[in-house]
């Protein structure tokens, strides 16, 4: 099944590096979801294990967990990793970025 969430090459590389560097077990993956209400909510990312409510997707050997209740809100999201003057971190957008 195709993932509703896209990962840029930078995001994939950083996720794999983080998982390996921190010796995070294979049972963990990237959780993508919504925090708060649909209209006023914000997107959340984190490393977690799957629950009974999750749909699991694979993107280049990276597990992505999405709670089925959040699925309609994360379809089409793009996760990137950016480094800049203000620091580094993951960004989430609704527009596809080029790899």
């Amino acid at each position: 099944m195709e993932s509703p969430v896209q990962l840029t090459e930078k995001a994939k590389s950083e996720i794999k590096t983080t998982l390996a560097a921190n010796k995070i077990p294979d049972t963990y993956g990237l959780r993508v979801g919504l925090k708060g209400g649909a209209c006023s909510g914000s997107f959340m990312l984190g490393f977690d294990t799957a629950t009974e409510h999750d749909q699991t997707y694979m993107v280049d050997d990276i597990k992505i967990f999405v709670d089925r209740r959040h699925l309609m809100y994360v379809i089409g999201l793009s996760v990137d990793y950016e480094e800049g003057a203000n620091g580094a971190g993951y960004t989430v957008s609704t527009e596809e970025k080029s790899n």
Side-chain angles (χ1 to χ4, degrees), residues 10-28:
K10 285 183 183 178
K12 288 185 237 181
S13 176
E14 188 62 28
I15 290 166
K16 289 177 181 180
T17 298
T18 299
L19 291 169
N22 292 294
K23 298 179 181 165
I24 297 173
D26 290 343
T27 55
Y28 280 73

Side-chain angles (χ1 to χ4, degrees), residues 2-78:
E2 186 175 336
S3 174
V5 178
Q6 304 304 311
L7 303 175
T8 66
E9 291 302 318
K10 285 183 183 178
K12 288 185 237 181
S13 176
E14 188 62 28
I15 290 166
K16 289 177 181 180
T17 298
T18 299
L19 291 169
N22 292 294
K23 298 179 181 165
I24 297 173
D26 290 343
T27 55
Y28 280 73
L30 181 68
R31 176 166 301 285
V32 181
L34 192 67
K35 184 176 183 178
C39 294
S40 61
S42 60
F43 294 108
M44 64 175 192
L45 299 173
F47 295 108
D48 199 1
T49 57
T51 71
E52 63 187 42
H53 303 289
D54 289 337
Q55 185 69 44
T56 302
Y57 302 92
M58 294 295 288
V59 175
D60 289 349
D61 298 327
I62 298 170
K63 292 178 191 158
I64 298 178
F65 304 129
V66 178
D67 186 308
R68 288 181 186 94
R69 296 170 291 187
H70 298 183
L71 189 57
M72 66 188 289
Y73 303 109
V74 302
I75 292 173
L77 287 185
S78 179

